[in-house]
Amino acid sequence: MQQTDFLVIGSGIAGLTYALKVAQQFPDKKILVITKAAADETNTKYAQGGIAVVNDLEHDSFEKHIEDTLIAGDGLCNEHVVEIVVKEGPDRVNEIIEWGAKFDKEEDGDYKRGKEGGHSESRVLHHKDVTGKEMERALLDAVSKQKNIELNKHCFVVDIITQHHLGYLITKSTPDVECYGVYVLNLQTKQIEKILTKITVMATGGNGQVYRTTTNPFIATGDGVAMIYRAKGRIENMEFIQFHPTALYEPGVRGQAFLITEAVRGDGGILKNMDGDAFMERYDERKDLAPRDIVARAIDSEMKKSGTEHVYLDCRHFSKEKFVEHFPNIYQKCLSIGIDITQQMIPVAPAAHYSCGGIKTDEWGRSSINNLYACGECASTGLHGANRLASNSLLEGMVFAHRCFVDAAERIKNISFRNDIPDWNEAGTTKPREMILITQSLKELQLIMSDYVGIVRNDVRLQRASRRLDLLWEETEQLYESTSLSPQLLELRNMITVGYLIVKGASFRKESRGLHFNTDYPGKSELVQNIVL
Ligand code: FAD
Ligand code: SIN
């Protein structure tokens, strides 16, 4: 058993930013960060385009960034939260620069600012086309210098500990559910360990792996959301899954799809269909730089018309020098599969990319469970509403990590450890006989979600998805009850829960808004509401 005042689950931008701040404020306390994979294997590492921030008040303004965020969010953003994130953003970006992150600069020393869909100004700071890798590197470097942070890799958090584990019946209406710590599967020893905490921060990232095609790495399985839902915490707006319009189309490649950043369209890349027609002008006056929901639906419609699995992104008119300077990683990747972007168009298709909903929090990152905070992609803070504005999530991760830190630093004074928490009980379980039972269910889940709960939905598809998920759930629970735990089984169980929450949210929302498009209800409802499960 371990005991730590501050526990952080996740080593992406949100978890590490929070950990650094707490560690600096409380040099005599240990901060424990745990992650189920390698330290840098996070969605953060794969971020390409950059971080949206207003740091040039001569050409841009907070009001414009706020307005762009609200337009993308399609009526569902919490305006107060949008203002907080936009206005506190520059301070947080300055902090990560102080911790060592480098963003590209012009020759005169000013920052280079990219433009992406839905932005009225160029305001995206970036490090070539590998911004996330650079930010994650800087954060991990800073963490390694901070003596009171312990970072434990390959430790899979199974569940948070609440009164439920003390034998109390907890329901959605039980007041004051409290978090006392977590049970963790140590992937090296294969033992389930108990960690007691005063304050826990969930920073477990997104859930793209629930879909067959996603830009997200394998860790993005929605574990935090599933854990909080099991613990009877509040989950919000899960139906708003953002599909990135332009993932590289590589037939036969499973798992993570390579992203072609929206910044390529920001620099002049043009989407074309099989006939070479620049179709976006038929869908929106902002053409290729319309918000993502509009571009992804337009591509989906073009693909359905032509019966193909992709469209093209045309960059042949770029100067090679310029393209390589801004997008060296994309240039090399395309070349590695035989595409010279100066000669050939890039085949692209939409892929699940970002979860706008998640663990419901207030403006300080507090979840509905006492002593448990959430920040980063697993949280639903109210910033994104029905659709996230491009490059707002790295910013949100840092702003809310800071806010969790400010609130937790006060709250910790009034919390003590519980010493009556039982150990994990594995009695009655046996080793799993066949991994195929897990891998096949995962494939089924991904197919169900992609075919029935994708970019365009309707009631019949949602009902089908729901029935099929019920069966998968039943079978997986049987496995969970009877076999010893493995990360594959835990992730499958969590992803089925997340799939269920997406379907539930989508079924409750009888309208089309932002990223949720249901052909049975093509218009917006007058009732503007968040769906809380
Ligand atoms: P992550 O960085 O995903 O970190 C999650 C952490 O939680 C990981 O360490 C993981 O191992 C850990 N974890 C999860 N479950 C468990 C568990 N059960 N036990 C223990 N540990 C666990 N956003 C932008 O703003 N700009 C961009 O340019 C941009 N580009 C993107 C490009 C790609 C390809 C992708 C996939 C996303 C992009 N995004 C971008 C989105 C952005 O990168 C993410 O939303 C953000 O990085 C999420 O950060 P996070 O800290 O919340 O989670
Ligand atoms: C991209 O670079 O296109 C991704 C940006 C984002 O998801 O915010």
Side-chain angles (χ1 to χ4, degrees):
M1 184 198 78
Q2 289 193 66
Q3 203 163 281
T4 184
D5 290 88
F6 295 98
L7 174 72
V8 187
I9 309 172
S11 57
I13 191 159
L16 295 183
T17 302
Y18 169 85
L20 281 166
K21 289 186 159 256
V22 176
Q24 287 168 358
Q25 172 89 0
F26 298 100
D28 54 331
K29 288 200 190 293
K30 189 184 86 176
I31 289 83
L32 180 60
V33 180
I34 46 183
T35 173
K36 64 179 174 178
D40 70 347
E41 192 52 11
T42 59
N43 269 7
T44 301
K45 182 171 88 170
Y46 295 94
Q48 290 190 358
I51 180 161
V53 67
V54 176
N55 73 350
D56 169 20
L57 287 169
E58 233 179 85
H59 301 102
D60 198 1
S61 68
F62 291 139
E63 288 68 33
K64 283 186 188 170
H65 190 182
I66 290 170
E67 182 68 7
D68 294 346
T69 304
L70 294 176
I71 291 172
D74 207 5
L76 263 197
C77 299
N78 176 327
E79 293 197 24
H80 177 53
V81 167
V82 174
E83 192 176 332
I84 288 173
V85 173
V86 167
K87 291 191 172 168
E88 294 182 7
D91 285 346
R92 304 288 81 82
V93 171
N94 287 339
E95 275 163 6
I96 198 166
I97 290 172
E98 273 167 35
W99 288 332
K102 298 208 171 10
F103 296 106
D104 293 350
K105 289 186 172 173
E106 306 283 359
E107 274 173 12
D108 65 3
D110 191 13
Y111 284 107
K112 286 187 176 172
R113 296 182 181 86
K115 194 163 183 185
E116 291 177 15
H119 287 275
S120 55
E121 295 292 341
S122 298
R123 61 169 74 97
V124 180
L125 300 193
H126 52 274
H127 181 99
K128 302 200 180 293
D129 55 355
V130 285
T131 309
K133 196 170 173 194
E134 168 61 11
M135 293 174 89
E136 183 73 16
R137 177 206 63 73
L139 288 166
L140 283 172
D141 273 4
V143 162
S144 71
K145 291 181 194 131
Q146 193 70 45
K147 295 282 172 278
N148 55 335
I149 298 182
E150 185 181 325
L151 201 165
N152 287 354
K153 295 163 277 183
H154 306 291
C155 289
F156 193 119
V157 178
V158 178
D159 264 319
I160 65 162
I161 302 171
T162 67
Q163 291 96 325
H164 166 79
H165 298 92
L166 297 169
Y168 294 94
L169 177 69
I170 306 286
T171 68
K172 281 277 177 200
S173 43
T174 307
D176 289 321
V177 178
E178 293 189 356
C179 174
Y180 305 125
V182 295
Y183 291 115
V184 175
L185 172 61
N186 182 322
L187 299 178
Q188 261 127 24
T189 63
K190 311 261 188 292
Q191 298 299 308
I192 305 242
E193 297 162 2
K194 178 172 75 183
I195 303 180
L196 301 185
T197 63
K198 289 185 180 171
I199 300 253
T200 302
V201 168
M202 200 59 87
T204 46
N207 58 34
Q209 285 290 327
V210 166
Y211 286 86
R212 189 179 35 188
T213 310
T214 176
T215 62
N216 291 191
F218 288 100
I219 55 102
T221 52
D223 299 352
V225 167
M227 279 186 249
I228 299 307
Y229 184 70
R230 281 197 291 274
K232 312 293 182 218
R234 300 273 168 225
I235 307 294
E236 181 176 69
N237 289 349
M238 289 297 288
E239 63 279 19
F240 296 123
I241 298 294
Q242 185 172 72
F243 287 78
H244 196 292
T246 57
L248 180 62
Y249 173 72
E250 284 185 276
V253 171
R254 279 188 59 81
Q256 187 180 9
F258 183 84
L259 183 73
I260 307 292
T261 173
E262 193 155 307
V264 172
R265 275 175 285 134
D267 280 9
I270 300 169
L271 285 162
K272 294 194 171 160
N273 62 18
M274 290 296 154
D275 299 329
D277 171 29
F279 58 85
M280 272 316 298
E281 56 197 42
R282 286 191 272 112
Y283 291 87
D284 193 282
E285 60 185 12
R286 291 160 289 185
K287 299 183 196 166
D288 298 87
L289 285 181
R292 278 185 194 165
D293 55 331
I294 295 169
V295 183
R297 271 199 300 276
I299 295 178
D300 188 64
S301 155
E302 291 295 316
M303 288 180 355
K304 283 190 175 129
K305 269 188 228 158
S306 61
T308 50
E309 292 185 336
H310 65 85
V311 292
Y312 287 110
L313 184 61
D314 193 352
C315 300
R316 291 173 297 179
H317 50 289
F318 280 62
S319 101
K320 179 177 166 188
E321 225 184 354
K322 275 224 159 126
F323 192 94
V324 173
E325 193 196 327
H326 192 168
F327 309 112
N329 192 36
I330 293 175
Y331 181 77
Q332 281 309 329
K333 171 68 191 182
C334 289
L335 217 51
S336 77
I337 57 166
I339 296 166
D340 174 353
I341 65 95
T342 62
Q343 306 295 323
Q344 291 140 289
M345 296 194 285
I346 310 172
V348 291
H353 181 64
Y354 186 84
S355 172
C356 293
I359 302 162
K360 183 173 168 52
T361 73
D362 67 9
E363 68 188 71
W364 294 102
R366 303 178 193 127
S367 76
S368 59
I369 295 178
N370 291 347
N371 308 333
L372 188 124
Y373 294 75
C375 53
E377 191 168 338
C378 69
S380 176
T381 64
L383 174 70
H384 309 305
N387 182 21
R388 176 183 66 109
L389 183 67
S391 287
N392 261 358
S393 46
L394 294 170
L395 191 72
E396 182 198 38
M398 291 200 296
V399 168
F400 268 88
H402 172 80
R403 294 194 137 241
C404 291
F405 147 70
V406 171
D407 199 75
E410 270 308 302
R411 183 181 281 223
I412 189 112
K413 296 172 191 158
N414 308 315
I415 308 172
S416 33
F417 291 112
R418 287 290 298 228
N419 51 20
D420 52 352
I421 306 292
D423 288 339
W424 182 264
N425 183 359
E426 244 191 317
T429 60
T430 56
K431 283 214 155 45
R433 287 216 324 257
E434 292 182 315
M435 277 307 279
I436 184 86
L437 297 180
I438 295 173
T439 51
Q440 188 56 29
S441 292
L442 175 59
K443 278 189 209 156
E444 282 178 39
L445 169 71
Q446 291 169 332
L447 278 178
I448 293 167
M449 293 304 293
S450 296
D451 291 343
Y452 297 136
V453 204
I455 296 173
V456 175
R457 302 159 180 181
N458 63 38
D459 281 356
V460 175
R461 291 189 202 176
L462 293 175
Q463 283 154 13
R464 280 198 174 194
S466 179
R467 278 199 293 272
R468 281 152 178 76
L469 288 183
D470 279 350
L471 180 61
L472 280 179
W473 169 248
E474 210 178 284
E475 291 169 355
T476 306
E477 278 310 280
Q478 277 168 15
L479 270 184
Y480 179 79
E481 297 296 334
S482 58
T483 56
S484 51
L485 298 186
S486 65
Q488 294 86 349
L489 176 56
L490 292 170
E491 286 185 341
L492 173 64
R493 187 170 181 249
N494 289 336
M495 283 193 274
I496 293 172
T497 301
V498 167
Y500 161 84
L501 291 169
I502 297 170
V503 172
K504 257 279 182 286
S507 306
F508 279 140
R509 190 168 287 288
K510 303 288 185 205
E511 63 168 347
S512 292
R513 183 185 295 278
L515 297 159
H516 173 71
F517 189 77
N518 184 329
T519 52
D520 292 326
Y521 314 95
K524 280 197 230 328
S525 155
E526 278 174 21
L527 188 66
V528 181
Q529 58 173 347
N530 294 307
I531 291 184
V532 181
L533 300 167

